Amino acid sequence: MNLTTLNIKRVIFVCLLLNGQKTYAQDTSYKLTLDTSFYSTISLGRFQPSFNYIYHSPDKKDEQRYKKYKSLIGQKPTLKNHELYFSLACSLWELEKTAEAEKMFLTIINSNEKYYASTYYHSSDIPGEKTKNIYGYGSFTSNYKNYAAIYLTKIYLEQKQFDKALQFLEDAVKKYKVTYNCGTGFNRQQDEYDFLYASSYEGLNKHKEVIDLLLPSCLDRKDEIIISAIKNTYSQEEIEEKLKEAETSIKCSLDTFPSYAYQTSNYGTKNAKTDTIKYFSGMATITLFDRQITMPVPNLENGEHLTREMFVKLFRESDFYIKLKGDT
């Protein structure tokens, strides 16, 4: 597993999550295709992914890599084997052999060798994509030390060494910086950073920092960290009063012009059919716990007009509202 492969796997994972959300174009110049066989299964409710970036998911390749190359654990990397060394460290993490993984990632961090200290440029994060263009869409940079620092952050979070976790996260973000020139990669990276920062802050009892960081996206996902931070900051009575105030504070700007999306059934077959979805969208803001945020836009069906009541319904049905309300 080299750095390019690692990035591709992460971006594909996020793309699969994003496919669970209904997205529309705001004008006819942008065409989005959705498969109605999948769309019909999610249109009854709004998809809210769980907010978590610490998980171990070993596969056969991790087991095979460990059995074949475990002798590298006690060695120093070389120009010839540095990619394999990094890949083995990643496999050790997946296999929950944390002590060995930690040792190898620290070796990468402390290396002065060019192959670990350099930042690499990749023209695209799309598998098989070889097209070059002047905008560099899909391009990204990578750095072994960035990923090593991220893995060490996760290791120390699991060990509840929150100061060390935050230190390595800061190094990953600021010292070993990597960038993405596409929305999917950039958003995945930012979400992961936000999760790791919030987890570190939570462990250090910095609840205000957690709320400031995570509140802008609290209606987009299932986020136990911000729920915990709010409950540690406010009483249940105060929370319920803040939720009432928030609902009253919703302010909308509703479009008077139509937007369009394109919905395809039986995609990739001779029976493929594309339907045009026309709707009237808009946006809304809400003041939550004394902070104003932009609300996500509710899913709209063909011919629907967005209303304030739809935003209220979205708020009341969010995992954030339900978990804080305390009725269930």
mmCIF file of all heavy atoms in Angstrom, residues 8-27:
data_model
loop_
_atom_site.group_PDB
_atom_site.id
_atom_site.type_symbol
_atom_site.label_atom_id
_atom_site.label_comp_id
_atom_site.label_asym_id
_atom_site.label_seq_id
_atom_site.Cartn_x
_atom_site.Cartn_y
_atom_site.Cartn_z
ATOM 1 N N ILE A 8 -6.549 6.910 -2.520
ATOM 2 C CA ILE A 8 -7.652 6.432 -3.358
ATOM 3 C C ILE A 8 -8.668 5.668 -2.523
ATOM 4 O O ILE A 8 -9.880 5.863 -2.640
ATOM 5 C CB ILE A 8 -7.117 5.553 -4.498
ATOM 6 C CG1 ILE A 8 -6.365 6.424 -5.515
ATOM 7 C CG2 ILE A 8 -8.249 4.787 -5.182
ATOM 8 C CD1 ILE A 8 -5.625 5.632 -6.568
ATOM 9 N N LYS A 9 -8.199 4.789 -1.626
ATOM 10 C CA LYS A 9 -9.105 4.017 -0.789
ATOM 11 C C LYS A 9 -9.943 4.935 0.090
ATOM 12 O O LYS A 9 -11.138 4.719 0.268
ATOM 13 C CB LYS A 9 -8.309 3.041 0.080
ATOM 14 C CG LYS A 9 -7.724 1.866 -0.683
ATOM 15 C CD LYS A 9 -6.899 0.975 0.199
ATOM 16 C CE LYS A 9 -7.742 0.200 1.166
ATOM 17 N NZ LYS A 9 -6.966 -0.748 1.980
ATOM 18 N N ARG A 10 -9.313 5.975 0.631
ATOM 19 C CA ARG A 10 -10.043 6.897 1.492
ATOM 20 C C ARG A 10 -11.075 7.683 0.699
ATOM 21 O O ARG A 10 -12.209 7.869 1.143
ATOM 22 C CB ARG A 10 -9.069 7.858 2.167
ATOM 23 C CG ARG A 10 -8.241 7.195 3.262
ATOM 24 C CD ARG A 10 -7.253 8.175 3.858
ATOM 25 N NE ARG A 10 -6.668 7.652 5.071
ATOM 26 C CZ ARG A 10 -5.813 8.318 5.827
ATOM 27 N NH1 ARG A 10 -5.443 9.534 5.467
ATOM 28 N NH2 ARG A 10 -5.314 7.787 6.913
ATOM 29 N N VAL A 11 -10.712 8.159 -0.487
ATOM 30 C CA VAL A 11 -11.633 8.962 -1.292
ATOM 31 C C VAL A 11 -12.800 8.119 -1.771
ATOM 32 O O VAL A 11 -13.942 8.560 -1.768
ATOM 33 C CB VAL A 11 -10.894 9.608 -2.468
ATOM 34 C CG1 VAL A 11 -11.879 10.265 -3.419
ATOM 35 C CG2 VAL A 11 -9.895 10.649 -1.961
ATOM 36 N N ILE A 12 -12.527 6.873 -2.187
ATOM 37 C CA ILE A 12 -13.608 5.989 -2.631
ATOM 38 C C ILE A 12 -14.593 5.754 -1.500
ATOM 39 O O ILE A 12 -15.817 5.763 -1.684
ATOM 40 C CB ILE A 12 -13.038 4.647 -3.133
ATOM 41 C CG1 ILE A 12 -12.321 4.856 -4.471
ATOM 42 C CG2 ILE A 12 -14.141 3.606 -3.290
ATOM 43 C CD1 ILE A 12 -11.602 3.626 -4.978
ATOM 44 N N PHE A 13 -14.085 5.561 -0.269
ATOM 45 C CA PHE A 13 -14.960 5.350 0.888
ATOM 46 C C PHE A 13 -15.904 6.532 1.079
ATOM 47 O O PHE A 13 -17.101 6.357 1.300
ATOM 48 C CB PHE A 13 -14.107 5.153 2.138
ATOM 49 C CG PHE A 13 -14.910 5.084 3.409
ATOM 50 C CD1 PHE A 13 -15.671 3.967 3.697
ATOM 51 C CD2 PHE A 13 -14.902 6.132 4.307
ATOM 52 C CE1 PHE A 13 -16.416 3.896 4.865
ATOM 53 C CE2 PHE A 13 -15.646 6.079 5.472
ATOM 54 C CZ PHE A 13 -16.401 4.952 5.753
ATOM 55 N N VAL A 14 -15.366 7.733 0.976
ATOM 56 C CA VAL A 14 -16.205 8.921 1.135
ATOM 57 C C VAL A 14 -17.201 9.049 0.002
ATOM 58 O O VAL A 14 -18.352 9.417 0.210
ATOM 59 C CB VAL A 14 -15.337 10.192 1.241
ATOM 60 C CG1 VAL A 14 -16.218 11.433 1.272
ATOM 61 C CG2 VAL A 14 -14.495 10.135 2.504
ATOM 62 N N CYS A 15 -16.775 8.722 -1.215
ATOM 63 C CA CYS A 15 -17.704 8.772 -2.358
ATOM 64 C C CYS A 15 -18.881 7.839 -2.133
ATOM 65 O O CYS A 15 -20.016 8.169 -2.468
ATOM 66 C CB CYS A 15 -16.971 8.392 -3.642
ATOM 67 S SG CYS A 15 -15.845 9.664 -4.237
ATOM 68 N N LEU A 16 -18.624 6.658 -1.576
ATOM 69 C CA LEU A 16 -19.706 5.722 -1.305
ATOM 70 C C LEU A 16 -20.673 6.301 -0.281
ATOM 71 O O LEU A 16 -21.892 6.139 -0.392
ATOM 72 C CB LEU A 16 -19.124 4.396 -0.793
ATOM 73 C CG LEU A 16 -18.370 3.571 -1.832
ATOM 74 C CD1 LEU A 16 -17.705 2.372 -1.162
ATOM 75 C CD2 LEU A 16 -19.307 3.110 -2.938
ATOM 76 N N LEU A 17 -20.147 6.998 0.725
ATOM 77 C CA LEU A 17 -21.017 7.642 1.694
ATOM 78 C C LEU A 17 -21.840 8.740 1.050
ATOM 79 O O LEU A 17 -23.040 8.863 1.281
ATOM 80 C CB LEU A 17 -20.189 8.235 2.839
ATOM 81 C CG LEU A 17 -19.579 7.257 3.828
ATOM 82 C CD1 LEU A 17 -18.789 8.032 4.882
ATOM 83 C CD2 LEU A 17 -20.629 6.404 4.502
ATOM 84 N N LEU A 18 -21.177 9.537 0.212
ATOM 85 C CA LEU A 18 -21.867 10.666 -0.409
ATOM 86 C C LEU A 18 -22.939 10.198 -1.380
ATOM 87 O O LEU A 18 -23.906 10.902 -1.629
ATOM 88 C CB LEU A 18 -20.861 11.559 -1.135
ATOM 89 C CG LEU A 18 -19.877 12.295 -0.216
ATOM 90 C CD1 LEU A 18 -18.901 13.101 -1.057
ATOM 91 C CD2 LEU A 18 -20.597 13.196 0.761
ATOM 92 N N ASN A 19 -22.788 8.995 -1.934
ATOM 93 C CA ASN A 19 -23.813 8.477 -2.831
ATOM 94 C C ASN A 19 -25.122 8.232 -2.109
ATOM 95 O O ASN A 19 -26.174 8.093 -2.732
ATOM 96 C CB ASN A 19 -23.343 7.160 -3.471
ATOM 97 C CG ASN A 19 -22.536 7.402 -4.712
ATOM 98 O OD1 ASN A 19 -22.681 8.444 -5.346
ATOM 99 N ND2 ASN A 19 -21.670 6.474 -5.055
ATOM 100 N N GLY A 20 -25.054 8.162 -0.772
ATOM 101 C CA GLY A 20 -26.265 7.986 0.004
ATOM 102 C C GLY A 20 -27.025 9.274 0.222
ATOM 103 O O GLY A 20 -28.070 9.269 0.833
ATOM 104 N N GLN A 21 -26.517 10.374 -0.277
ATOM 105 C CA GLN A 21 -27.185 11.657 -0.095
ATOM 106 C C GLN A 21 -27.703 12.168 -1.434
ATOM 107 O O GLN A 21 -27.038 12.076 -2.443
ATOM 108 C CB GLN A 21 -26.220 12.673 0.508
ATOM 109 C CG GLN A 21 -25.652 12.217 1.832
ATOM 110 C CD GLN A 21 -24.775 13.274 2.445
ATOM 111 O OE1 GLN A 21 -25.210 14.402 2.644
ATOM 112 N NE2 GLN A 21 -23.555 12.933 2.746
ATOM 113 N N LYS A 22 -28.885 12.744 -1.391
ATOM 114 C CA LYS A 22 -29.497 13.271 -2.602
ATOM 115 C C LYS A 22 -28.960 14.663 -2.849
ATOM 116 O O LYS A 22 -29.074 15.540 -2.009
ATOM 117 C CB LYS A 22 -31.012 13.300 -2.404
ATOM 118 C CG LYS A 22 -31.807 13.732 -3.610
ATOM 119 C CD LYS A 22 -33.263 13.641 -3.262
ATOM 120 C CE LYS A 22 -34.142 14.144 -4.369
ATOM 121 N NZ LYS A 22 -35.546 14.142 -3.968
ATOM 122 N N THR A 23 -28.338 14.874 -4.001
ATOM 123 C CA THR A 23 -27.724 16.162 -4.305
ATOM 124 C C THR A 23 -28.289 16.688 -5.605
ATOM 125 O O THR A 23 -28.495 15.945 -6.547
ATOM 126 C CB THR A 23 -26.202 16.008 -4.447
ATOM 127 O OG1 THR A 23 -25.720 15.287 -3.306
ATOM 128 C CG2 THR A 23 -25.516 17.343 -4.529
ATOM 129 N N TYR A 24 -28.500 17.992 -5.671
ATOM 130 C CA TYR A 24 -29.101 18.583 -6.851
ATOM 131 C C TYR A 24 -28.204 19.658 -7.436
ATOM 132 O O TYR A 24 -27.451 20.322 -6.738
ATOM 133 C CB TYR A 24 -30.439 19.228 -6.509
ATOM 134 C CG TYR A 24 -31.511 18.253 -6.141
ATOM 135 C CD1 TYR A 24 -32.055 18.244 -4.872
ATOM 136 C CD2 TYR A 24 -31.971 17.329 -7.080
ATOM 137 C CE1 TYR A 24 -33.056 17.356 -4.539
ATOM 138 C CE2 TYR A 24 -32.973 16.439 -6.746
ATOM 139 C CZ TYR A 24 -33.518 16.458 -5.488
ATOM 140 O OH TYR A 24 -34.498 15.580 -5.152
ATOM 141 N N ALA A 25 -28.361 19.866 -8.744
ATOM 142 C CA ALA A 25 -27.703 21.004 -9.385
ATOM 143 C C ALA A 25 -28.532 22.247 -9.131
ATOM 144 O O ALA A 25 -29.752 22.180 -9.043
ATOM 145 C CB ALA A 25 -27.609 20.747 -10.885
ATOM 146 N N GLN A 26 -27.868 23.393 -9.038
ATOM 147 C CA GLN A 26 -28.589 24.637 -8.827
ATOM 148 C C GLN A 26 -28.934 25.347 -10.132
ATOM 149 O O GLN A 26 -29.589 26.362 -10.139
ATOM 150 C CB GLN A 26 -27.755 25.566 -7.931
ATOM 151 C CG GLN A 26 -27.671 25.068 -6.502
ATOM 152 C CD GLN A 26 -29.046 24.918 -5.872
ATOM 153 O OE1 GLN A 26 -29.841 25.846 -5.884
ATOM 154 N NE2 GLN A 26 -29.324 23.750 -5.343
ATOM 155 N N ASP A 27 -28.457 24.836 -11.244
ATOM 156 C CA ASP A 27 -28.855 25.393 -12.533
ATOM 157 C C ASP A 27 -28.700 24.317 -13.595
ATOM 158 O O ASP A 27 -28.155 23.250 -13.344
ATOM 159 C CB ASP A 27 -28.010 26.626 -12.898
ATOM 160 C CG ASP A 27 -26.525 26.315 -12.913
ATOM 161 O OD1 ASP A 27 -26.119 25.440 -13.702
ATOM 162 O OD2 ASP A 27 -25.794 26.945 -12.143
#
